[in-house]
Amino acid sequence: MIQLIMFGMGATLSLKDFAAVVKSPKSVGIGVIAQFSIMPLIGFVLAKLSGLEPEIAAGIILVGCSPSGTASNVMAFLAKANVALSVTLTSITTLLAPLMTPLLMKLLAGQFIEIDLVKMMWDIFKIILLPVGAGLIVHRLLGQNIKYIEKLLPLISMLGIALIILVITAAGRDSLLEIGPLLILLVMIHNVMGYGVGYWFSRLTGMNEQDSRTLAIEVGMQNAGLASGLANLLGKIATVGLAPAVFGPMQNITGSILATVWSRREPKQ
């Protein structure tokens, strides 16, 4: 299911979606650095302070070490942020994930669970790069005809994520009943701090209001589906997979609220 979702992402991309790298390299560079530093570090601190079982705590770090998700592009549009920058950052962080996510997990989550660095790199390569690459090729071959497929992709992605959350929730039912409220609180803190720190980090580095909104959303909203898939490949979907399962719906609620607030305010410089 995750490979199908990532194929859908690739099928909607073209070279023009990476144009922001040329137009505003500073914003892209800051965004990539923020994506792979802020959320992993916040996740690590929360995991250390949580007192949760090590495998469940590792799931919080795994969410933080994942790239941004495609839902962030929708939220960026609603929030009157820089949609082109949002799409570029989502694409680049996704393509960097096979390298960055395993390295960060080894560094930050190695004390919680055993991480096979090479295996995780290969797993993410199979989950992300292969289907995204296939999607890019299909987009190239079909040209304008891709719009018919694009109409189905949001529905397929929505159903896929719903099914993934369903499976994880069922598998981790007992743990969720025991630590659910605490995990929900930690995930909410992780998500909201991502927005806040991402925004002010951007402002402090001299970015304008519109780009800062973009980075806030990109940093705060993670690819919870990818994190769920990795938890499954680790054979720990009922423990490591719990935080991603909670994070996915949570970020869509908080992201919608943030986007609604910002949509009522024109971005200033």
Side-chain angles (χ1 to χ4, degrees):
M1 291 303 302
I2 295 168
Q3 285 176 317
L4 183 59
I5 293 168
M6 298 313 298
F7 170 81
M9 176 184 172
T12 61
L13 293 176
S14 64
L15 291 178
K16 67 179 182 180
D17 293 318
F18 296 90
V21 177
V22 178
K23 292 180 179 178
S24 52
K26 176 185 175 182
S27 298
V28 173
I30 292 172
V32 172
I33 292 171
Q35 177 65 44
F36 289 119
S37 61
I38 293 172
M39 289 298 272
L41 291 174
I42 295 174
F44 174 74
V45 172
L46 290 174
K48 289 286 286 186
L49 297 176
S50 69
L52 293 173
E53 176 186 334
E55 289 187 1
I56 296 176
I60 300 174
I61 300 175
L62 178 58
V63 172
C65 295
S66 298
S68 55
T70 52
S72 63
N73 306 149
V74 179
M75 299 303 174
F77 172 75
L78 296 174
K80 297 181 179 179
N82 187 334
V83 179
L85 177 61
S86 176
V87 172
T88 299
L89 286 173
T90 298
S91 303
I92 291 177
T93 56
T94 298
L95 295 177
L96 287 174
L99 173 65
M100 295 304 300
T101 299
L103 288 174
L104 289 168
M105 282 296 291
K106 185 70 173 179
L107 177 65
L108 300 176
Q111 60 184 281
F112 294 93
I113 56 172
E114 184 178 349
I115 301 294
D116 186 330
L117 188 64
V118 176
K119 181 180 183 300
M120 182 173 278
M121 285 182 175
W122 175 239
D123 287 339
I124 301 178
F125 178 83
K126 290 186 293 183
I127 292 175
I128 290 182
L129 292 190
L130 288 182
V132 168
L136 284 166
I137 292 172
V138 169
H139 184 110
R140 181 72 175 176
L141 292 175
L142 293 182
Q144 291 298 319
N145 293 324
I146 194 69
K147 62 184 179 181
Y148 299 109
I149 296 177
E150 287 179 346
K151 292 179 180 179
L152 291 174
L153 294 177
L155 178 61
I156 293 172
S157 296
M158 183 174 65
L159 292 175
I161 293 296
L163 179 60
I164 291 165
I165 293 171
L166 174 69
V167 171
I168 296 173
T169 303
R173 173 186 177 277
D174 293 340
S175 295
L176 275 175
L177 287 173
E178 183 179 347
I179 53 91
L182 174 59
L183 185 61
I184 290 171
L185 176 62
L186 290 169
V187 165
M188 180 179 287
I189 292 172
H190 196 187
N191 177 217
V192 173
M193 283 190 70
Y195 296 138
V197 178
Y199 177 83
W200 287 110
F201 177 82
S202 306
R203 295 300 280 171
L204 289 172
T205 53
M207 296 178 67
N208 62 37
E209 171 70 16
Q210 190 177 37
D211 287 356
S212 295
R213 290 184 183 186
T214 306
L215 258 69
I217 293 170
E218 286 297 309
V219 171
M221 300 191 73
Q222 303 292 87
N223 193 332
L226 170 63
S228 301
L230 290 174
N232 184 45
L233 290 171
L234 288 169
K236 302 180 186 298
I237 196 169
T239 51
V240 178
L242 290 181
V246 175
F247 197 99
M250 177 73 70
Q251 69 178 355
N252 288 322
I253 295 170
T254 58
S256 297
I257 293 171
L258 181 61
T260 300
V261 172
W262 272 339
S263 69
R264 296 170 181 168
R265 304 175 185 172
E266 290 297 326
K268 301 176 182 178
Q269 292 301 314

